[in-house]
Amino acid sequence: MISFFGRSIKGFFFYALIFLVLFPGLCIGFFSLRAIESNIKEDVKRNNLFVARSLAAQINEILSRADKIIQVIGHMVQEESAADRDMDAVLARVVDAFPAFSSIQILDRQGIVRYCSRGSDCSVGYDLSRHPGYINALEQDGPCWSGTHIHIRESVPSITVSRLFNKYVIVGYLDLTELSRHVDTLTAEVGIEAVVLDRHANVAACSEPGKAEHRVNLSNLNFVRQGLDGTFTSGLGLDDQGNRSIISMTEVKVADLLTVTFRDAELAMAPVTYARKIFMISMILACLISIGVIVFIYHRIKSPLKAFSDYTDRVAGGDYDLSAEISRLSEFRHLEQNFLFMAGAVSAREDDLKKALAEVRKLSGLLPICACCKKIRDDKGYWNTLEAYIEEHSEVSFSHGLCEKCSDELYGKEDWYIKMKKK
């Protein structure tokens, strides 16, 4: 197996896939998904809280209008001409014009009902001196709001608003069923559930039918207890059915009520679930594509490197015939040409060395030479002159001349030689 930095190329690409593609991709995807999830949660919380505050503002407006109607009736009953009016009929017309009221009563300072909007089926003459609305109106200035209750001769739960006007206490009963219809209308478009609670955690109004009529108490829920303590939060929790919900809470300042909105957490976080699926699919596709690319690159690189490894083995074994094309990649072609040039140079130098060694071998060892004529006998038994033998077995060539001693022996008695030496 071809190695790279002490590891196989296959292992190198495997680690490259993990540390350069998968690990960064997982980290980026994970933190991006967490950021998206956090942003969506915050957006849902803000939107939920906005709905809760919008609902509180709408209820504030309804209750403020109810209080203004009570004030108008109070000023009317204080006028001198009030005795000449049919106050029961006036109250009945007010209730018809403002459906949020189920009935309106006018009590004297002793708590006895003097006028009622119900006509014949009314509570005129009843003693309501122990009614919380009557007692609170005597003790404080301004509007007094009660918790939820079912008043005598009433079939639906209500909350009351009462005010003291000199000799009279005006008590208005707000129908919680009608208030629940307002809540349902306000929340139906945004697809959330909303409840309005009194300070005893009883449901005063609700977008879900039945809870207000049965005066369901939600004091067992943590976020409700926090709201009753004055901490208004928006976050993830369990609703009264035990379902995970995004819950927001705020107060209705006019009547000292609480508005609570519930949004199904699973539906609210559906974009996050969708983003997770997209992320997982993207990561799987990215892994498959990355693996395919790395396998392709691995095979494109492995083949020429394996060929170069075979080349080195052949060169080491003395085979310099390296004419096959390794790769079409320009970098590998350039490397191949350089390698072939190097192999050719090595081959040429090896041939030169072989020739030199062959010449050295020809002139080595003992040479049989004639002691008289100085001829040398070759391997075939022929006698050759010294010059002919050396020229044949080396790159040496001979030129002939006479040394001074031989010249004197051959030409020493000749006149021309004697004259030449004198010069």
Side-chain angles (χ1 to χ4, degrees):
M1 177 65 69
I2 302 171
S3 296
F4 187 87
F5 292 121
R7 298 181 182 272
S8 68
I9 291 180
K10 186 182 295 184
F12 170 75
F13 279 115
F14 174 75
Y15 290 120
L17 173 65
I18 293 177
F19 292 106
L20 298 181
V21 179
L22 298 183
F23 184 72
L26 287 173
C27 291
I28 293 172
F30 174 77
F31 288 111
S32 298
L33 191 61
R34 289 298 298 272
I36 293 172
E37 182 175 358
S38 177
N39 291 336
I40 291 177
K41 281 184 179 179
E42 292 302 318
D43 288 342
V44 171
K45 288 179 184 178
R46 284 193 294 268
N47 293 337
N48 222 42
L49 186 59
F50 175 78
V51 173
R53 288 173 177 172
S54 300
L55 178 61
Q58 293 286 341
I59 295 175
N60 263 324
E61 183 179 352
I62 294 172
L63 299 183
S64 296
R65 288 177 60 193
D67 180 46
K68 288 179 181 179
I69 292 172
I70 294 297
Q71 293 182 53
V72 171
I73 295 173
H75 294 309
M76 185 184 300
V77 80
Q78 291 182 89
E79 295 177 357
E80 295 181 357
S81 59
D84 301 329
R85 296 177 180 174
D86 185 359
M87 291 304 300
D88 290 340
V90 171
L91 296 179
R93 286 196 296 270
V94 171
V95 170
D96 291 338
F98 191 71
F101 278 125
S102 61
S103 67
I104 301 175
Q105 296 173 338
I106 300 177
L107 285 64
D108 60 18
R109 292 297 294 260
Q110 287 72 40
I112 304 301
V113 177
R114 295 303 179 186
Y115 304 100
C116 180
S117 63
R118 287 297 183 90
S120 59
D121 185 22
C122 69
S123 54
V124 174
Y126 276 71
D127 182 2
L128 300 182
S129 59
R130 302 180 63 180
H131 190 285
Y134 168 77
I135 296 173
N136 292 334
L138 294 178
E139 293 178 351
Q140 71 181 60
D141 189 22
C144 301
W145 296 90
S146 72
T148 61
H149 63 279
I150 299 179
H151 182 54
I152 185 171
R153 300 180 67 87
E154 299 283 346
S155 60
V156 294
S158 60
I159 58 174
T160 61
V161 54
S162 57
R163 271 182 178 269
L164 175 64
F165 296 92
N166 293 332
K167 297 185 298 180
Y168 298 99
V169 174
I170 314 299
V171 181
Y173 298 87
L174 287 160
D175 186 350
L176 296 186
T177 305
E178 185 67 26
L179 191 60
S180 292
R181 281 196 287 269
H182 281 281
V183 172
D184 184 48
T185 302
L186 293 172
T187 58
E189 295 182 359
V190 292
I192 65 174
E193 180 185 351
V195 297
V196 180
L197 305 176
D198 63 17
R199 281 298 175 174
H200 302 290
N202 295 318
V203 176
C206 183
S207 58
E208 182 180 341
K211 286 187 176 180
E213 290 79 354
H214 294 88
R215 300 183 65 201
V216 175
N217 188 277
L218 301 181
S219 59
N220 61 318
L221 301 180
N222 289 330
F223 64 88
V224 172
R225 290 197 293 269
Q226 293 174 0
L228 294 176
D229 293 335
T231 303
F232 305 108
T233 59
S234 181
L236 187 65
L238 298 178
D239 61 13
D240 56 319
Q241 304 296 326
N243 302 318
R244 294 177 70 252
S245 302
I246 304 295
I247 304 168
S248 300
M249 179 179 292
T250 188
E251 62 179 340
V252 181
K253 296 181 179 179
V254 170
D256 200 23
L257 300 174
L258 301 176
T259 59
V260 186
T261 55
F262 304 88
R263 188 188 295 267
D264 189 286
E266 184 176 350
L267 294 177
M269 301 306 294
V272 176
T273 304
Y274 179 75
R276 285 175 180 167
K277 292 180 180 178
I278 295 298
F279 171 68
M280 293 303 298
I281 294 173
S282 300
M283 285 304 302
I284 292 173
L285 290 177
C287 290
L288 293 177
I289 293 173
S290 300
I291 291 173
V293 171
I294 287 179
V295 169
F296 173 75
I297 295 174
Y298 168 71
H299 284 292
R300 289 297 299 271
I301 294 177
K302 176 186 175 183
S303 297
L305 290 180
K306 183 66 171 59
F308 276 121
S309 178
D310 294 339
Y311 273 11
T312 56
D313 293 340
R314 289 166 60 186
V315 170
D319 183 6
Y320 300 102
D321 185 15
L322 309 174
S323 58
E325 182 179 354
I326 291 179
S327 174
R328 295 181 180 179
L329 298 175
S330 58
E331 291 80 2
F332 282 110
R333 285 208 308 268
H334 180 70
L335 182 61
E336 178 188 7
Q337 292 171 358
N338 290 339
F339 191 85
L340 293 175
F341 178 78
M342 180 186 68
V346 171
S347 177
R349 291 193 179 185
E350 184 176 349
D351 291 340
D352 292 340
L353 288 173
K354 286 181 179 180
K355 291 179 181 179
L357 288 174
E359 295 298 331
V360 170
R361 290 193 191 97
K362 287 180 180 180
L363 296 177
S364 63
L366 296 175
L367 294 177
I369 188 171
C370 177
C372 179
C373 67
K374 306 302 183 183
K375 288 184 178 181
I376 298 174
R377 186 179 65 197
D378 59 20
D379 296 335
K380 298 179 180 180
Y382 295 102
W383 290 91
N384 302 283
T385 61
L386 179 62
E387 296 91 334
Y389 186 85
I390 292 177
E391 286 182 350
E392 182 180 353
H393 292 84
S394 70
E395 296 180 357
V396 177
S397 298
F398 287 92
S399 63
H400 293 81
L402 292 173
C403 66
E404 188 175 346
K405 181 178 179 181
C406 292
S407 297
D408 290 341
E409 290 179 357
L410 291 173
Y411 307 112
K413 296 180 180 181
E414 301 289 336
D415 292 338
W416 61 273
Y417 182 74
I418 294 172
K419 289 180 181 181
M420 183 185 69
K421 287 193 70 175
K422 287 181 179 181
K423 290 181 179 181

